Amino acid sequence: MKNKPLILASSSVYRQQLLRRLRVPFTAVSPDIDETPRKGEVPRVYALRMAEEKAQAVSRGDGEIVIAGDTTVAV
């Protein structure tokens, strides 16, 4: 059985280092999306939307596995 390609939807050096430490083969692709929060959007919803949009932006639809995430800080 052939392993599915793993795509990291991030240009984050930290996230890439995490996968390298696990010795997981992957390709990092920087998602080109608008990261502007929507009016009234709460941080939790914003972070989830960003992760979903990043995954969709880099997905080729070839059965690959896409890892995407987003971090936001709210005070």
Side-chain angles (χ1 to χ4, degrees), residues 2-59:
K2 185 178 176 187
N3 290 336
K4 294 181 179 184
L6 180 64
I7 308 293
L8 175 63
S10 177
S11 56
S12 166
V13 174
Y14 178 72
R15 287 188 171 105
Q16 292 176 31
Q17 289 173 342
L18 285 173
L19 288 177
R20 285 190 189 105
R21 275 189 252 160
L22 294 172
R23 297 185 179 161
V24 174
F26 68 95
T27 301
V29 179
S30 182
D32 183 21
I33 64 168
D34 178 5
E35 296 191 39
T36 305
R38 294 178 179 158
K39 185 177 180 177
E41 189 171 42
V42 297
R44 179 182 51 81
V45 173
Y46 169 76
L48 179 59
R49 180 175 63 84
M50 287 294 94
E52 290 174 348
E53 288 184 14
K54 288 175 182 182
Q56 291 171 355
V58 304
S59 177

